Amino acid sequence: MNYCRYKNNFITRLCYEFFDYSWIVKIKKPPRFLGCIKIFIHRLFHFIRYPDFREPCIKDLIFFSTSVNNNNALRPIWTKLKPQEYSVWECENIFSETKIAIYSFLHLPSFFRMYEQLPVEDRLVVREYNYWFMNVYGYYKVIDKFLKKNRNKIKLLVLANDHSPVNQCIIENCIKHNIKTMYVQHASIDEEFPPVRFTYSFLDGLDTYKKYASKKKVSGTAILSGSSRFDALKKQLCVSEYIGIAINELDDFSKVFDLCEFLIDNGITDVILRPHPRLELQKEDMERFNNLGILFSDAKVENSFSFIAKLKLLISNESSIHLDALLMKIPSVQYNFSKDSFKDVYSFVKKGVVPLCENYEKVLKECISPHNVSPEIIKEWNAAYGTKYDGKVSDVIFNFIKNLRDGTEKEYIDSIFKFNTKGYYEYK
């Protein structure tokens, strides 16, 4: 995704993630523009006929989390608090659908102008994800009104995602209304992510900071803490019996199946397939893998660390799950299951996190004799690694929140971290 390309238009700036390659390749046959208008009007009439004026629960500390991966980063923190001390907004549809639809309707002329100015290929993206492009202004205005009304009640709003439309709406309005925000990174990033505009950003490590800083996209206080989602690693017992294959929406299932068949024909029979949480396999695909004796890991039930703990080798395409394996010292290899050329978007191959296997034979060789994981490279991806805070990052962030409530967050940061002249805080 290229944030800079879309930042100048309000609607495309908020919805820019849909221009990312991983979203674009899913576009098959988008509705016609008139069809998008009909869908929008039908939805508008529905919410006028059946009005909904709900608002989310308000407390001085709010966590906004809309996915399993967001929860993995934030839950270790909020579970240390008393239930009455915080509120969790756990879905995108927490605000009034009626108000969102009405504000979006009033903004339609601006939407039409934006659409007409886009290149033809970008119009396909807008039509495919028409719900967000046509309703995001409504989300923005409803969140604007809500935060303006409650800005004196909120001390801190915590997010684990910095790029989805609703998160972008929240971030922009928190800046507008001078509400403090905190970012707890939930996954690896690439250099095309939007600017970090949080009051406080708790980042995985130096790799993340370099990617944000490469285009001068860091504001507020950046803290290289490591992630709270990595804390569970200290308690994870590794069994190391299986070959794991993690797949996502970009992968070609026929290529995945062919590799599985090759491995099994060559004596590698203990294989577990893990589809991404957003990926739903068709019944016939499930049956094909079941007929090979492939086991499945349900990403909606089993977290990535529990899955990786069973493995002696992980195989995956472009995915941040390679980082999870690295931090657990489980070797992983990158294999291109996609029909497109290899891109190394996370720089895992370039930086030596994983080797790239170009053919089945190299994958088989790794399955039989996996390479050793070098601990020297882990630190750049998890700043807490090798420190006394390794496995205790959620405690670090929890205590930061407690101090922020007392107005002593700066003193707390200085007690644990030292400032690096390159622009970030790191452990002493």
Side-chain angles (χ1 to χ4, degrees), residues 91-131:
C91 69
E92 293 171 333
N93 297 322
I94 53 176
F95 296 97
S96 166
E97 298 272 14
T98 301
K99 291 181 180 179
I100 289 170
I102 292 172
Y103 279 123
S104 298
F105 174 75
L106 297 175
H107 195 254
L108 273 184
S110 295
F111 168 77
F112 293 148
R113 287 194 296 272
M114 177 275 296
Y115 182 80
E116 288 297 321
Q117 293 168 2
L118 288 176
V120 174
E121 62 272 17
D122 287 351
R123 294 181 188 181
L124 297 177
V125 176
V126 173
R127 294 189 342 244
E128 177 71 15
Y129 303 105
N130 61 84
Y131 170 81

mmCIF file of all heavy atoms in Angstrom, residues 91-131:
data_model
loop_
_atom_site.group_PDB
_atom_site.id
_atom_site.type_symbol
_atom_site.label_atom_id
_atom_site.label_comp_id
_atom_site.label_asym_id
_atom_site.label_seq_id
_atom_site.Cartn_x
_atom_site.Cartn_y
_atom_site.Cartn_z
ATOM 1 N N CYS A 91 -15.831 -4.059 18.514
ATOM 2 C CA CYS A 91 -16.293 -4.216 17.138
ATOM 3 C C CYS A 91 -16.337 -2.856 16.467
ATOM 4 O O CYS A 91 -16.342 -1.820 17.138
ATOM 5 C CB CYS A 91 -17.656 -4.902 17.076
ATOM 6 S SG CYS A 91 -19.018 -3.910 17.696
ATOM 7 N N GLU A 92 -16.373 -2.864 15.149
ATOM 8 C CA GLU A 92 -16.390 -1.605 14.407
ATOM 9 C C GLU A 92 -17.760 -0.945 14.435
ATOM 10 O O GLU A 92 -17.876 0.266 14.283
ATOM 11 C CB GLU A 92 -15.942 -1.857 12.961
ATOM 12 C CG GLU A 92 -14.464 -2.263 12.881
ATOM 13 C CD GLU A 92 -14.040 -2.715 11.506
ATOM 14 O OE1 GLU A 92 -14.902 -3.206 10.761
ATOM 15 O OE2 GLU A 92 -12.845 -2.589 11.187
ATOM 16 N N ASN A 93 -18.819 -1.754 14.618
ATOM 17 C CA ASN A 93 -20.175 -1.217 14.593
ATOM 18 C C ASN A 93 -20.678 -0.906 16.003
ATOM 19 O O ASN A 93 -21.708 -1.404 16.450
ATOM 20 C CB ASN A 93 -21.116 -2.211 13.903
ATOM 21 C CG ASN A 93 -20.737 -2.426 12.452
ATOM 22 O OD1 ASN A 93 -20.340 -1.495 11.774
ATOM 23 N ND2 ASN A 93 -20.846 -3.650 11.990
ATOM 24 N N ILE A 94 -19.929 -0.077 16.713
ATOM 25 C CA ILE A 94 -20.315 0.280 18.077
ATOM 26 C C ILE A 94 -21.045 1.615 18.126
ATOM 27 O O ILE A 94 -21.567 1.998 19.166
ATOM 28 C CB ILE A 94 -19.075 0.341 18.997
ATOM 29 C CG1 ILE A 94 -18.014 1.267 18.398
ATOM 30 C CG2 ILE A 94 -18.532 -1.036 19.267
ATOM 31 C CD1 ILE A 94 -16.804 1.464 19.272
ATOM 32 N N PHE A 95 -21.079 2.324 16.988
ATOM 33 C CA PHE A 95 -21.750 3.621 16.939
ATOM 34 C C PHE A 95 -23.056 3.514 16.165
ATOM 35 O O PHE A 95 -23.323 2.520 15.492
ATOM 36 C CB PHE A 95 -20.827 4.660 16.285
ATOM 37 C CG PHE A 95 -19.576 4.942 17.050
ATOM 38 C CD1 PHE A 95 -18.384 4.315 16.735
ATOM 39 C CD2 PHE A 95 -19.596 5.826 18.121
ATOM 40 C CE1 PHE A 95 -17.225 4.562 17.447
ATOM 41 C CE2 PHE A 95 -18.438 6.092 18.851
ATOM 42 C CZ PHE A 95 -17.254 5.461 18.515
ATOM 43 N N SER A 96 -23.865 4.536 16.260
ATOM 44 C CA SER A 96 -25.193 4.552 15.646
ATOM 45 C C SER A 96 -25.117 4.375 14.128
ATOM 46 O O SER A 96 -24.569 5.213 13.413
ATOM 47 C CB SER A 96 -25.892 5.884 15.962
ATOM 48 O OG SER A 96 -27.027 6.066 15.144
ATOM 49 N N GLU A 97 -25.697 3.273 13.629
ATOM 50 C CA GLU A 97 -25.741 3.030 12.185
ATOM 51 C C GLU A 97 -26.601 4.068 11.485
ATOM 52 O O GLU A 97 -26.330 4.457 10.348
ATOM 53 C CB GLU A 97 -26.292 1.621 11.920
ATOM 54 C CG GLU A 97 -25.458 0.493 12.491
ATOM 55 C CD GLU A 97 -24.376 0.035 11.541
ATOM 56 O OE1 GLU A 97 -24.109 0.758 10.552
ATOM 57 O OE2 GLU A 97 -23.801 -1.031 11.775
ATOM 58 N N THR A 98 -27.647 4.522 12.156
ATOM 59 C CA THR A 98 -28.540 5.525 11.558
ATOM 60 C C THR A 98 -27.789 6.833 11.330
ATOM 61 O O THR A 98 -27.856 7.425 10.238
ATOM 62 C CB THR A 98 -29.759 5.760 12.459
ATOM 63 O OG1 THR A 98 -30.460 4.517 12.642
ATOM 64 C CG2 THR A 98 -30.709 6.772 11.840
ATOM 65 N N LYS A 99 -27.079 7.294 12.338
ATOM 66 C CA LYS A 99 -26.330 8.542 12.198
ATOM 67 C C LYS A 99 -25.237 8.406 11.140
ATOM 68 O O LYS A 99 -24.995 9.330 10.350
ATOM 69 C CB LYS A 99 -25.712 8.934 13.541
ATOM 70 C CG LYS A 99 -26.724 9.372 14.597
ATOM 71 C CD LYS A 99 -25.997 9.765 15.876
ATOM 72 C CE LYS A 99 -26.978 10.203 16.950
ATOM 73 N NZ LYS A 99 -26.279 10.564 18.215
ATOM 74 N N ILE A 100 -24.558 7.254 11.125
ATOM 75 C CA ILE A 100 -23.505 7.021 10.133
ATOM 76 C C ILE A 100 -24.083 7.115 8.723
ATOM 77 O O ILE A 100 -23.516 7.768 7.835
ATOM 78 C CB ILE A 100 -22.845 5.643 10.357
ATOM 79 C CG1 ILE A 100 -21.987 5.658 11.632
ATOM 80 C CG2 ILE A 100 -21.985 5.245 9.154
ATOM 81 C CD1 ILE A 100 -21.496 4.291 12.056
ATOM 82 N N ALA A 101 -25.247 6.487 8.503
ATOM 83 C CA ALA A 101 -25.872 6.489 7.182
ATOM 84 C C ALA A 101 -26.297 7.897 6.758
ATOM 85 O O ALA A 101 -26.124 8.293 5.598
ATOM 86 C CB ALA A 101 -27.075 5.549 7.182
ATOM 87 N N ILE A 102 -26.840 8.675 7.683
ATOM 88 C CA ILE A 102 -27.314 10.025 7.355
ATOM 89 C C ILE A 102 -26.138 10.951 7.026
ATOM 90 O O ILE A 102 -26.151 11.675 6.025
ATOM 91 C CB ILE A 102 -28.153 10.597 8.509
ATOM 92 C CG1 ILE A 102 -29.469 9.816 8.630
ATOM 93 C CG2 ILE A 102 -28.444 12.081 8.288
ATOM 94 C CD1 ILE A 102 -30.288 10.167 9.846
ATOM 95 N N TYR A 103 -25.112 10.953 7.870
ATOM 96 C CA TYR A 103 -23.933 11.790 7.594
ATOM 97 C C TYR A 103 -23.292 11.398 6.259
ATOM 98 O O TYR A 103 -22.844 12.266 5.495
ATOM 99 C CB TYR A 103 -22.906 11.655 8.709
ATOM 100 C CG TYR A 103 -23.190 12.491 9.932
ATOM 101 C CD1 TYR A 103 -23.315 11.901 11.185
ATOM 102 C CD2 TYR A 103 -23.315 13.874 9.839
ATOM 103 C CE1 TYR A 103 -23.562 12.672 12.320
ATOM 104 C CE2 TYR A 103 -23.561 14.648 10.960
ATOM 105 C CZ TYR A 103 -23.693 14.045 12.199
ATOM 106 O OH TYR A 103 -23.939 14.808 13.308
ATOM 107 N N SER A 104 -23.234 10.099 5.983
ATOM 108 C CA SER A 104 -22.632 9.635 4.735
ATOM 109 C C SER A 104 -23.456 10.096 3.531
ATOM 110 O O SER A 104 -22.902 10.456 2.484
ATOM 111 C CB SER A 104 -22.508 8.111 4.742
ATOM 112 O OG SER A 104 -21.656 7.676 5.789
ATOM 113 N N PHE A 105 -24.776 10.077 3.673
ATOM 114 C CA PHE A 105 -25.647 10.555 2.593
ATOM 115 C C PHE A 105 -25.377 12.026 2.291
ATOM 116 O O PHE A 105 -25.296 12.433 1.129
ATOM 117 C CB PHE A 105 -27.112 10.342 2.987
ATOM 118 C CG PHE A 105 -28.088 10.923 2.003
ATOM 119 C CD1 PHE A 105 -28.316 10.305 0.784
ATOM 120 C CD2 PHE A 105 -28.765 12.106 2.288
ATOM 121 C CE1 PHE A 105 -29.207 10.851 -0.140
ATOM 122 C CE2 PHE A 105 -29.652 12.654 1.382
ATOM 123 C CZ PHE A 105 -29.872 12.018 0.161
ATOM 124 N N LEU A 106 -25.226 12.825 3.329
ATOM 125 C CA LEU A 106 -24.974 14.254 3.143
ATOM 126 C C LEU A 106 -23.610 14.508 2.483
ATOM 127 O O LEU A 106 -23.389 15.560 1.881
ATOM 128 C CB LEU A 106 -25.044 14.984 4.491
ATOM 129 C CG LEU A 106 -26.412 14.954 5.184
ATOM 130 C CD1 LEU A 106 -26.324 15.594 6.563
ATOM 131 C CD2 LEU A 106 -27.464 15.661 4.332
ATOM 132 N N HIS A 107 -22.734 13.528 2.593
ATOM 133 C CA HIS A 107 -21.379 13.676 2.048
ATOM 134 C C HIS A 107 -21.254 13.066 0.652
ATOM 135 O O HIS A 107 -20.177 13.089 0.056
ATOM 136 C CB HIS A 107 -20.376 13.009 3.008
ATOM 137 C CG HIS A 107 -18.953 13.388 2.763
ATOM 138 N ND1 HIS A 107 -18.052 12.529 2.178
ATOM 139 C CD2 HIS A 107 -18.269 14.549 3.003
ATOM 140 C CE1 HIS A 107 -16.862 13.112 2.092
ATOM 141 N NE2 HIS A 107 -16.971 14.335 2.571
ATOM 142 N N LEU A 108 -22.337 12.536 0.087
ATOM 143 C CA LEU A 108 -22.273 11.855 -1.200
ATOM 144 C C LEU A 108 -21.686 12.711 -2.324
ATOM 145 O O LEU A 108 -20.916 12.202 -3.148
ATOM 146 C CB LEU A 108 -23.661 11.348 -1.603
ATOM 147 C CG LEU A 108 -24.066 9.960 -1.081
ATOM 148 C CD1 LEU A 108 -25.420 9.568 -1.634
ATOM 149 C CD2 LEU A 108 -23.018 8.909 -1.442
ATOM 150 N N PRO A 109 -22.025 14.006 -2.432
ATOM 151 C CA PRO A 109 -21.417 14.807 -3.517
ATOM 152 C C PRO A 109 -19.889 14.782 -3.491
ATOM 153 O O PRO A 109 -19.246 14.681 -4.538
ATOM 154 C CB PRO A 109 -21.969 16.220 -3.249
ATOM 155 C CG PRO A 109 -23.272 15.979 -2.566
ATOM 156 C CD PRO A 109 -23.039 14.780 -1.694
ATOM 157 N N SER A 110 -19.293 14.840 -2.298
ATOM 158 C CA SER A 110 -17.829 14.775 -2.190
ATOM 159 C C SER A 110 -17.317 13.400 -2.599
ATOM 160 O O SER A 110 -16.249 13.273 -3.212
ATOM 161 C CB SER A 110 -17.384 15.096 -0.763
ATOM 162 O OG SER A 110 -17.688 16.430 -0.435
ATOM 163 N N PHE A 111 -18.091 12.365 -2.258
ATOM 164 C CA PHE A 111 -17.716 11.013 -2.664
ATOM 165 C C PHE A 111 -17.724 10.897 -4.187
ATOM 166 O O PHE A 111 -16.803 10.321 -4.782
ATOM 167 C CB PHE A 111 -18.673 9.989 -2.061
ATOM 168 C CG PHE A 111 -18.533 8.615 -2.662
ATOM 169 C CD1 PHE A 111 -17.482 7.793 -2.307
ATOM 170 C CD2 PHE A 111 -19.450 8.163 -3.608
ATOM 171 C CE1 PHE A 111 -17.341 6.537 -2.882
ATOM 172 C CE2 PHE A 111 -19.324 6.913 -4.181
ATOM 173 C CZ PHE A 111 -18.271 6.100 -3.820
ATOM 174 N N PHE A 112 -18.754 11.444 -4.848
ATOM 175 C CA PHE A 112 -18.831 11.394 -6.310
ATOM 176 C C PHE A 112 -17.634 12.088 -6.950
ATOM 177 O O PHE A 112 -17.040 11.585 -7.907
ATOM 178 C CB PHE A 112 -20.122 12.050 -6.802
ATOM 179 C CG PHE A 112 -21.377 11.307 -6.424
ATOM 180 C CD1 PHE A 112 -22.559 11.991 -6.183
ATOM 181 C CD2 PHE A 112 -21.374 9.927 -6.300
ATOM 182 C CE1 PHE A 112 -23.714 11.311 -5.830
ATOM 183 C CE2 PHE A 112 -22.525 9.236 -5.946
ATOM 184 C CZ PHE A 112 -23.700 9.933 -5.709
ATOM 185 N N ARG A 113 -17.257 13.246 -6.424
ATOM 186 C CA ARG A 113 -16.125 13.979 -6.981
ATOM 187 C C ARG A 113 -14.829 13.186 -6.807
ATOM 188 O O ARG A 113 -13.985 13.147 -7.709
ATOM 189 C CB ARG A 113 -16.003 15.355 -6.310
ATOM 190 C CG ARG A 113 -17.074 16.347 -6.732
ATOM 191 C CD ARG A 113 -16.724 17.766 -6.307
ATOM 192 N NE ARG A 113 -16.674 17.906 -4.854
ATOM 193 C CZ ARG A 113 -17.735 18.207 -4.102
ATOM 194 N NH1 ARG A 113 -18.919 18.389 -4.674
ATOM 195 N NH2 ARG A 113 -17.609 18.335 -2.797
ATOM 196 N N MET A 114 -14.670 12.589 -5.638
ATOM 197 C CA MET A 114 -13.488 11.767 -5.396
ATOM 198 C C MET A 114 -13.420 10.608 -6.390
ATOM 199 O O MET A 114 -12.370 10.335 -6.978
ATOM 200 C CB MET A 114 -13.526 11.227 -3.965
ATOM 201 C CG MET A 114 -12.381 10.298 -3.588
ATOM 202 S SD MET A 114 -12.602 8.546 -4.027
ATOM 203 C CE MET A 114 -14.019 8.112 -3.017
ATOM 204 N N TYR A 115 -14.537 9.943 -6.600
ATOM 205 C CA TYR A 115 -14.582 8.784 -7.506
ATOM 206 C C TYR A 115 -14.203 9.185 -8.932
ATOM 207 O O TYR A 115 -13.433 8.489 -9.598
ATOM 208 C CB TYR A 115 -15.980 8.165 -7.481
ATOM 209 C CG TYR A 115 -16.113 6.935 -8.344
ATOM 210 C CD1 TYR A 115 -15.665 5.697 -7.884
ATOM 211 C CD2 TYR A 115 -16.679 7.011 -9.614
ATOM 212 C CE1 TYR A 115 -15.777 4.558 -8.676
ATOM 213 C CE2 TYR A 115 -16.800 5.882 -10.416
ATOM 214 C CZ TYR A 115 -16.347 4.660 -9.939
ATOM 215 O OH TYR A 115 -16.446 3.542 -10.731
ATOM 216 N N GLU A 116 -14.718 10.303 -9.384
ATOM 217 C CA GLU A 116 -14.450 10.761 -10.753
ATOM 218 C C GLU A 116 -12.981 11.113 -10.961
ATOM 219 O O GLU A 116 -12.463 11.021 -12.083
ATOM 220 C CB GLU A 116 -15.317 11.978 -11.076
ATOM 221 C CG GLU A 116 -16.789 11.653 -11.256
ATOM 222 C CD GLU A 116 -17.038 10.727 -12.441
ATOM 223 O OE1 GLU A 116 -16.361 10.895 -13.476
ATOM 224 O OE2 GLU A 116 -17.876 9.809 -12.317
ATOM 225 N N GLN A 117 -12.289 11.506 -9.915
ATOM 226 C CA GLN A 117 -10.891 11.915 -10.028
ATOM 227 C C GLN A 117 -9.909 10.745 -9.974
ATOM 228 O O GLN A 117 -8.724 10.913 -10.258
ATOM 229 C CB GLN A 117 -10.555 12.916 -8.913
ATOM 230 C CG GLN A 117 -11.275 14.243 -9.051
ATOM 231 C CD GLN A 117 -11.160 15.107 -7.806
ATOM 232 O OE1 GLN A 117 -10.507 14.738 -6.834
ATOM 233 N NE2 GLN A 117 -11.812 16.256 -7.829
ATOM 234 N N LEU A 118 -10.381 9.548 -9.598
ATOM 235 C CA LEU A 118 -9.494 8.393 -9.448
ATOM 236 C C LEU A 118 -9.187 7.737 -10.785
ATOM 237 O O LEU A 118 -10.017 7.755 -11.703
ATOM 238 C CB LEU A 118 -10.139 7.356 -8.522
ATOM 239 C CG LEU A 118 -10.222 7.684 -7.036
ATOM 240 C CD1 LEU A 118 -10.987 6.589 -6.312
ATOM 241 C CD2 LEU A 118 -8.827 7.844 -6.434
ATOM 242 N N PRO A 119 -8.008 7.126 -10.921
ATOM 243 C CA PRO A 119 -7.717 6.313 -12.108
ATOM 244 C C PRO A 119 -8.706 5.152 -12.208
ATOM 245 O O PRO A 119 -9.296 4.735 -11.197
ATOM 246 C CB PRO A 119 -6.291 5.802 -11.840
ATOM 247 C CG PRO A 119 -5.722 6.720 -10.812
ATOM 248 C CD PRO A 119 -6.878 7.189 -9.987
ATOM 249 N N VAL A 120 -8.871 4.620 -13.406
ATOM 250 C CA VAL A 120 -9.852 3.559 -13.637
ATOM 251 C C VAL A 120 -9.609 2.360 -12.722
ATOM 252 O O VAL A 120 -10.542 1.791 -12.156
ATOM 253 C CB VAL A 120 -9.810 3.117 -15.120
ATOM 254 C CG1 VAL A 120 -10.716 1.902 -15.335
ATOM 255 C CG2 VAL A 120 -10.248 4.267 -16.023
ATOM 256 N N GLU A 121 -8.338 1.952 -12.561
ATOM 257 C CA GLU A 121 -8.058 0.768 -11.746
ATOM 258 C C GLU A 121 -8.411 0.996 -10.271
ATOM 259 O O GLU A 121 -8.806 0.063 -9.559
ATOM 260 C CB GLU A 121 -6.587 0.345 -11.886
ATOM 261 C CG GLU A 121 -5.560 1.361 -11.425
ATOM 262 C CD GLU A 121 -5.141 2.340 -12.500
ATOM 263 O OE1 GLU A 121 -5.862 2.452 -13.514
ATOM 264 O OE2 GLU A 121 -4.087 2.987 -12.323
ATOM 265 N N ASP A 122 -8.263 2.236 -9.805
ATOM 266 C CA ASP A 122 -8.610 2.530 -8.420
ATOM 267 C C ASP A 122 -10.125 2.560 -8.207
ATOM 268 O O ASP A 122 -10.621 2.308 -7.106
ATOM 269 C CB ASP A 122 -8.005 3.864 -7.983
ATOM 270 C CG ASP A 122 -6.500 3.768 -7.767
ATOM 271 O OD1 ASP A 122 -5.983 2.630 -7.787
ATOM 272 O OD2 ASP A 122 -5.856 4.808 -7.591
ATOM 273 N N ARG A 123 -10.863 2.869 -9.263
ATOM 274 C CA ARG A 123 -12.322 2.858 -9.156
ATOM 275 C C ARG A 123 -12.846 1.450 -8.876
ATOM 276 O O ARG A 123 -13.862 1.274 -8.205
ATOM 277 C CB ARG A 123 -12.955 3.406 -10.437
ATOM 278 C CG ARG A 123 -12.658 4.880 -10.690
ATOM 279 C CD ARG A 123 -13.336 5.354 -11.955
ATOM 280 N NE ARG A 123 -12.914 6.703 -12.322
ATOM 281 C CZ ARG A 123 -13.363 7.365 -13.362
ATOM 282 N NH1 ARG A 123 -14.264 6.791 -14.172
ATOM 283 N NH2 ARG A 123 -12.935 8.586 -13.623
ATOM 284 N N LEU A 124 -12.133 0.442 -9.387
ATOM 285 C CA LEU A 124 -12.512 -0.946 -9.104
ATOM 286 C C LEU A 124 -12.432 -1.227 -7.607
ATOM 287 O O LEU A 124 -13.277 -1.917 -7.042
ATOM 288 C CB LEU A 124 -11.602 -1.912 -9.865
ATOM 289 C CG LEU A 124 -11.648 -1.864 -11.385
ATOM 290 C CD1 LEU A 124 -10.629 -2.833 -11.971
ATOM 291 C CD2 LEU A 124 -13.034 -2.198 -11.898
ATOM 292 N N VAL A 125 -11.392 -0.695 -6.969
ATOM 293 C CA VAL A 125 -11.214 -0.873 -5.529
ATOM 294 C C VAL A 125 -12.371 -0.214 -4.777
ATOM 295 O O VAL A 125 -12.944 -0.798 -3.849
ATOM 296 C CB VAL A 125 -9.870 -0.280 -5.061
ATOM 297 C CG1 VAL A 125 -9.737 -0.374 -3.555
ATOM 298 C CG2 VAL A 125 -8.710 -0.983 -5.748
ATOM 299 N N VAL A 126 -12.726 0.997 -5.165
ATOM 300 C CA VAL A 126 -13.807 1.728 -4.498
ATOM 301 C C VAL A 126 -15.123 0.972 -4.623
ATOM 302 O O VAL A 126 -15.881 0.857 -3.657
ATOM 303 C CB VAL A 126 -13.946 3.146 -5.091
ATOM 304 C CG1 VAL A 126 -15.176 3.850 -4.524
ATOM 305 C CG2 VAL A 126 -12.691 3.959 -4.799
ATOM 306 N N ARG A 127 -15.393 0.408 -5.797
ATOM 307 C CA ARG A 127 -16.657 -0.315 -5.994
ATOM 308 C C ARG A 127 -16.668 -1.643 -5.237
ATOM 309 O O ARG A 127 -17.691 -2.059 -4.702
ATOM 310 C CB ARG A 127 -16.906 -0.525 -7.486
ATOM 311 C CG ARG A 127 -17.144 0.797 -8.185
ATOM 312 C CD ARG A 127 -17.615 0.728 -9.614
ATOM 313 N NE ARG A 127 -17.446 -0.494 -10.333
ATOM 314 C CZ ARG A 127 -16.663 -0.640 -11.417
ATOM 315 N NH1 ARG A 127 -15.951 0.396 -11.856
ATOM 316 N NH2 ARG A 127 -16.611 -1.788 -12.055
ATOM 317 N N GLU A 128 -15.516 -2.298 -5.182
ATOM 318 C CA GLU A 128 -15.447 -3.575 -4.449
ATOM 319 C C GLU A 128 -15.682 -3.360 -2.963
ATOM 320 O O GLU A 128 -16.397 -4.121 -2.314
ATOM 321 C CB GLU A 128 -14.086 -4.235 -4.678
ATOM 322 C CG GLU A 128 -13.873 -5.525 -3.897
ATOM 323 C CD GLU A 128 -14.701 -6.677 -4.423
ATOM 324 O OE1 GLU A 128 -15.242 -6.591 -5.549
ATOM 325 O OE2 GLU A 128 -14.806 -7.692 -3.706
ATOM 326 N N TYR A 129 -15.074 -2.304 -2.402
ATOM 327 C CA TYR A 129 -15.204 -2.010 -0.971
ATOM 328 C C TYR A 129 -16.058 -0.763 -0.779
ATOM 329 O O TYR A 129 -15.733 0.127 0.005
ATOM 330 C CB TYR A 129 -13.812 -1.849 -0.353
ATOM 331 C CG TYR A 129 -12.955 -3.079 -0.556
ATOM 332 C CD1 TYR A 129 -11.925 -3.089 -1.497
ATOM 333 C CD2 TYR A 129 -13.207 -4.257 0.152
ATOM 334 C CE1 TYR A 129 -11.166 -4.227 -1.714
ATOM 335 C CE2 TYR A 129 -12.452 -5.400 -0.058
ATOM 336 C CZ TYR A 129 -11.431 -5.374 -0.993
ATOM 337 O OH TYR A 129 -10.689 -6.513 -1.209
ATOM 338 N N ASN A 130 -17.162 -0.732 -1.507
ATOM 339 C CA ASN A 130 -18.019 0.457 -1.537
ATOM 340 C C ASN A 130 -18.588 0.805 -0.176
ATOM 341 O O ASN A 130 -18.830 1.972 0.111
ATOM 342 C CB ASN A 130 -19.139 0.287 -2.566
ATOM 343 C CG ASN A 130 -20.051 -0.893 -2.241
ATOM 344 O OD1 ASN A 130 -20.989 -0.812 -1.454
ATOM 345 N ND2 ASN A 130 -19.758 -2.013 -2.874
ATOM 346 N N TYR A 131 -18.820 -0.208 0.673
ATOM 347 C CA TYR A 131 -19.382 0.092 1.992
ATOM 348 C C TYR A 131 -18.504 1.101 2.723
ATOM 349 O O TYR A 131 -18.987 2.117 3.238
ATOM 350 C CB TYR A 131 -19.525 -1.184 2.823
ATOM 351 C CG TYR A 131 -19.881 -0.873 4.264
ATOM 352 C CD1 TYR A 131 -21.190 -0.602 4.630
ATOM 353 C CD2 TYR A 131 -18.894 -0.795 5.248
ATOM 354 C CE1 TYR A 131 -21.521 -0.282 5.929
ATOM 355 C CE2 TYR A 131 -19.213 -0.470 6.546
ATOM 356 C CZ TYR A 131 -20.522 -0.220 6.886
ATOM 357 O OH TYR A 131 -20.844 0.117 8.177
#
